[in-house]
């Protein structure tokens, strides 16, 4: 087991006109399962396909069509549950959630209300080195996505695209353990990271593959602790749910606005109504969509077309045994094995591809030096061109080669940066480039001594000043580096300059 000694972050306090308030937030995250086919049909889940081209009869709600569960979707939900250290329910069942939507031809969504496939788990939400909030997961259930209505293509007509209808979603429901807007975003970031490691959801928020309903309430300082002791929700304020958020920035803004709205109501002597709201980023406000009184009665009932889902512990164990190393474990290992700071280890493990790249570079080399080069030079350079690590023109071998040349003292750090740029833009073997272009560092003390003597001879006034103020020796070092085209070994130059100026 990991030895995770985290400190809990402080909850965010918002000052109203009359007093301070704390926030309580719970998220329902909808994550599209990464699979080739839909939850109950063989239709493709490919994004961006011709409208209505990926629609099986069952997705279109044709009479008499029967759903057949896709085993891979179940495996993905189990994988996600295991990745969130959650209980896997060997028995789960599907229910119909009835409502009318033009893009939901069945007239109901198949979901799991009473018996979800995944039970309680937990996530460590990173809020800085050594600081994390533990957010409890209440459940994860599998359900179908709806299609898409398009209202802005024609002034008189709306269109429906059923390609997304029936695609598998995991709804990940948290406990109300999130205590501020930044934590809410960090929670989504962490879920996304874990699912990308697991390969269970690609986390593409722009395509709507990851979206969140955000529940927000306010309470007086101290009330949350009472809730935690008793798990009695009456200690908490009335919550509002902000629907369908698909950007980390908007999640934070919406929470902030919603909290202030609730504070103004309560401080004005009113009561918060439990309702569903929408966030309008242009206006910077949330507005009511429907109140609890008008909430749908979904008339849930067990789906008569599907048998309860019974899975075997052996199958779950096989999946557990094949899980990849997850971000927290990888970060701790990088800190231990390579002596990295928590910050560097976090940056390198943010994406599994970044971590794999770094490990290849660091293998058999100085871990900190490797981390520096990967984070500062490589990531910095890739970012300039909006590339990710999979598009890097520099391979781990090439970067490792550059680092070896530095470690051997063949090139200085400054020359290494020039070399990196050459390898990045032109490719090639770093050692061969250094040899072919005469970039090797001069450690030959004779040559350096000659250069130092020349500078000293040419600048008698500077020499006098430097004798009184040893700090001015740096000027001579700079001149020698310049004269040698940056190739002189700076350490050797320093030593020789000090010796000569003292003599
Ligand atoms: P529903 O089924 O009506 O959506 P749930 O009990 O499933 O209600 O809760 C939905 C989400 O709201 C969960 O993430 C939960 O943690 C969160 N939540 C519940 N009570 C509060 C509260 N007082 N403040 C903030 N979030 C809350
Ligand atoms: Mg809900």
């Amino acid at each position: 087991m990991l030895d995770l000694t985290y400190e809990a972050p402080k909850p965010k306090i918002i000052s109203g006109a009359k007093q301070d308030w704390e926030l309580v937030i719970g998220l329902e995250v909808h994550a599209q399962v990464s699979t080739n086919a839909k939850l109950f049909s063989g239709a493709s889940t490919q994004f961006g396909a011709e409208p209505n081209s990926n629609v099986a009869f069952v997705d279109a709600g044709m009479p008499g069509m029967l759903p057949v569960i896709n085993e891979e979707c179940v495996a993905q939900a189990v994988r996600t549950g295991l990745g969130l250290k959650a209980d896997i329910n060997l028995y789960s069942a599907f229910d119909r959630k009835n409502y009318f939507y033009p893009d939901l031809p069945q007239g109901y969504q198949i979901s799991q209300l009473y018996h979800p496939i995944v039970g309680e788990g937990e996530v460590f939400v990173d809020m800085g080195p050594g600081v994390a909030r533990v957010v409890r997961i209440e459940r994860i259930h599998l359900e179908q996505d709806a299609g898409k209505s398009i209202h802005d293509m024609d002034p008189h007509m709306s269109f429906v695209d059923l390609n997304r209808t029936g695609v598998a979603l995991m709804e990940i429901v948290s406990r109300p353990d999130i205590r501020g807007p930044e934590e809410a975003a960090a929670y989504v970031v962490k879920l996304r990271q874990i699912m990308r490691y697991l390969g269970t959801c690609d986390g593409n928020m722009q395509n709507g593959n990851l979206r969140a309903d955000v529940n927000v309430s306010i309470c007086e300082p101290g009330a949350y602790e009472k809730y935690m002791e008793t798990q009695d929700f009456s200690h908490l304020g009335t919550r509002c749910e902000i629907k369908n958020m698909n950007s980390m920035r908007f999640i934070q803004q919406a929470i902030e606005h919603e909290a202030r709205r609730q504070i103004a109501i309560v401080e004005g002597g009113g009561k918060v109504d439990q309702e569903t709201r929408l966030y309008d980023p242009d206006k910077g406000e949330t507005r009511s969509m429907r109140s609890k009184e008008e909430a749908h009665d979904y008339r849930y009932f067990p789906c008569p077309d599907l048998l309860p889902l019974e899975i075997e512990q052996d199958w779950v164990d096989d999946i557990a045994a094949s899980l990849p190393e997850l971000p927290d474990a990888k970060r701790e290992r990088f800190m231990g094995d390579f002596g990295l700071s928590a910050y560097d280890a976090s940056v390198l493990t943010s994406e599994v591809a970044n971590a794999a790249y770094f490990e290849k570079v660091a293998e058999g080399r100085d871990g900190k030096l490797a981390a520096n080069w990967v984070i500062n030079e490589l990531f910095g350079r890739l970012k300039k061109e909006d590339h990710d690590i999979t598009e890097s023109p520099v391979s781990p071998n090439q970067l490792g080669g550059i680092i070896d040349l530095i470690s051997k003292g063949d090139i200085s750090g400054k020359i290494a940066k020039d070399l990196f740029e050459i390898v990045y833009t032109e490719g090639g073997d770093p050692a061969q480039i250094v040899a072919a272009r005469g970039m090797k560092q001069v450690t030959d003390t004779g040559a350096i001594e000659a250069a130092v003597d020349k500078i000293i001879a040419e600048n008698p006034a500077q020499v006098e000043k430097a004798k009184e103020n040893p700090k001015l020796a740096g000027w001579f070092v700079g001149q020698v580096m310049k004269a040698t085209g940056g190739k002189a070994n700076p350490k050797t130059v320093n030593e020789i300059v000090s010796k000569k100026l003292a003599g």
Side-chain angles (χ1 to χ4, degrees), residues 259-292:
R260 291 189 190 282
R261 188 188 71 86
Q262 293 180 13
I263 290 169
I265 292 173
V266 175
E267 290 195 344
K271 270 175 65 183
V272 174
D273 286 329
Q274 187 176 334
E275 58 184 359
T276 303
R277 301 180 69 84
L278 284 179
Y279 179 60
D280 181 340
D282 295 328
K283 294 208 178 109
E285 61 182 29
T286 63
R287 62 165 182 273
S288 182
M289 197 174 144
R290 54 174 184 260
S291 72
K292 195 165 186 201

Side-chain angles (χ1 to χ4, degrees), residues 261 409 419 445 482:
R261 188 188 71 86
L419 175 61
T445 41
K482 213 161 146 190

Side-chain angles (χ1 to χ4, degrees), residues 188-203:
V188 179
V189 166
K190 191 62 178 277
L191 276 188
R192 180 178 183 275
Q193 183 191 31
I194 292 172
M195 290 191 288
R196 283 176 60 82
Y197 265 63
L198 293 165
T200 57
C201 169
D202 70 15

Side-chain angles (χ1 to χ4, degrees), residues 13-325:
I13 308 272
I14 296 190
S15 303
K18 296 187 175 157
Q19 65 167 92
D20 285 351
W21 296 93
E22 287 184 7
L23 300 187
V24 175
I25 301 158
L27 261 59
E28 296 159 277
V29 169
H30 295 265
Q32 183 178 318
V33 176
S34 296
T35 47
N36 296 326
K38 296 184 182 180
L39 183 53
F40 298 116
S41 84
S44 165
T45 58
Q46 193 206 344
F47 181 82
E50 175 89 0
N52 297 307
S53 60
N54 294 335
V55 188
F57 287 130
V58 66
D59 306 323
M62 292 293 166
M65 292 298 118
L66 291 174
V68 177
I69 191 144
N70 177 347
E71 180 178 331
E72 184 53 19
C73 295
V74 179
Q76 291 289 57
V78 169
R79 234 168 244 131
T80 304
L82 292 168
L84 301 178
K85 294 170 273 183
D87 303 329
I88 306 301
N89 296 324
L90 299 182
Y91 176 96
S92 66
F94 290 96
D95 305 294
R96 283 189 184 176
K97 180 181 183 181
N98 299 281
Y99 60 99
F100 174 80
Y101 249 25
D103 48 28
L104 184 75
Q106 289 173 155
Y108 53 84
Q109 178 190 28
I110 303 177
S111 182
Q112 297 187 306
L113 178 68
Y114 303 107
H115 301 283
I117 181 140
V118 178
E120 298 194 352
E122 64 180 23
V123 183
F124 285 87
V125 177
D126 308 295
M127 299 305 300
V131 181
R133 169 82 65 199
V134 181
V135 174
R136 294 167 301 161
I137 301 293
E138 185 181 320
R139 55 188 277 157
I140 305 176
H141 57 261
L142 272 170
E143 62 184 24
Q144 302 174 293
D145 206 347
K148 206 164 83 187
S149 296
I150 302 151
H151 305 295
D152 57 1
M153 266 175 70
D154 185 284
H156 305 294
M157 284 190 284
S158 283
F159 296 92
V160 172
D161 177 5
L162 298 183
N163 280 353
R164 219 177 53 192
T165 309
V167 166
L169 296 180
M170 297 177 280
E171 178 169 335
I172 306 168
V173 182
S174 83
R175 297 275 180 201
D177 290 351
I178 299 162
R179 308 303 315 283
E182 297 79 15
E183 282 186 27
Y187 168 76
V188 179
V189 166
K190 191 62 178 277
L191 276 188
R192 180 178 183 275
Q193 183 191 31
I194 292 172
M195 290 191 288
R196 283 176 60 82
Y197 265 63
L198 293 165
T200 57
C201 169
D202 70 15
N204 188 329
M205 296 185 86
Q206 255 159 6
N207 292 354
N209 295 354
L210 189 69
R211 41 195 205 266
D213 299 342
V214 182
N215 296 270
V216 181
S217 67
I218 54 164
C219 67
E220 305 208 351
Y224 186 80
E225 286 67 23
K226 287 194 193 129
Y227 154 72
M228 278 306 255
E229 268 167 40
T230 58
Q231 294 299 305
D232 176 354
F233 281 87
S234 69
H235 292 295
L236 301 180
T238 304
R239 73 179 195 268
C240 286
E241 178 180 12
I242 313 161
K243 275 272 175 215
N244 242 335
M245 310 287 305
N246 69 345
S247 122
M248 308 288 184
R249 192 156 57 92
F250 292 161
I251 287 174
Q252 298 184 60
Q253 291 173 0
I255 292 171
E256 188 95 30
H257 287 295
E258 179 55 21
R260 291 189 190 282
R261 188 188 71 86
Q262 293 180 13
I263 290 169
I265 292 173
V266 175
E267 290 195 344
K271 270 175 65 183
V272 174
D273 286 329
Q274 187 176 334
E275 58 184 359
T276 303
R277 301 180 69 84
L278 284 179
Y279 179 60
D280 181 340
D282 295 328
K283 294 208 178 109
E285 61 182 29
T286 63
R287 62 165 182 273
S288 182
M289 197 174 144
R290 54 174 184 260
S291 72
K292 195 165 186 201
E293 289 72 52
E294 350 158 19
H296 296 289
D297 181 349
Y298 295 115
R299 296 192 188 269
Y300 275 100
F301 61 85
C303 182
D305 290 341
L306 289 157
L307 289 168
L309 179 61
E310 293 192 46
I311 56 178
E312 283 171 9
Q313 188 62 48
D314 281 355
W315 187 64
V316 174
D317 293 344
D318 284 348
I319 294 176
S322 71
L323 288 193
E325 182 182 38

Side-chain angles (χ1 to χ4, degrees), residues 445 477 489-500:
T445 41
V477 175
N489 182 328
K491 199 166 148 260
T492 317
V493 176
N494 249 314
E495 283 163 12
I496 295 176
V497 166
S498 322
K499 202 177 73 197
K500 298 254 171 188

Side-chain angles (χ1 to χ4, degrees), residues 345-465:
S346 295
V347 173
L348 291 168
T349 54
S350 64
E351 293 282 344
V352 75
N354 289 350
Y357 186 104
F358 165 74
E359 271 200 89
K360 281 190 202 135
V361 177
E363 172 94 61
R365 300 192 175 96
D366 177 342
K368 278 188 194 163
L369 189 58
N372 250 335
W373 273 85
V374 171
I375 295 173
N376 298 327
E377 300 307 318
L378 181 66
F379 288 175
R381 189 68 174 82
L382 288 169
K383 201 169 172 192
K384 255 193 213 159
E385 283 168 46
D386 212 14
H387 283 161
D388 67 36
I389 195 80
T390 61
E391 299 160 307
S392 171
V394 180
S395 71
N397 258 338
Q398 286 171 310
L399 187 55
I402 296 174
I403 293 171
D404 289 342
L405 292 166
I406 304 171
S407 300
K408 275 192 288 181
D410 281 2
I411 55 173
S412 65
K414 192 188 160 298
I415 293 286
K417 288 187 187 187
D418 298 341
L419 175 61
F420 174 80
E421 188 57 28
I422 295 170
V423 176
Y424 192 98
T425 49
E426 301 170 28
D429 174 55
Q432 278 172 11
I433 295 170
V434 165
R437 304 194 191 187
M439 294 165 83
K440 223 173 152 144
Q441 179 161 261
V442 181
T443 35
D444 170 2
T445 41
I448 295 173
E449 220 161 312
V452 174
D453 286 340
K454 185 157 177 276
I455 305 283
I456 285 181
E458 284 168 2
N459 300 280
Q462 281 292 108
V463 174
E464 284 315 307
K465 280 193 214 158

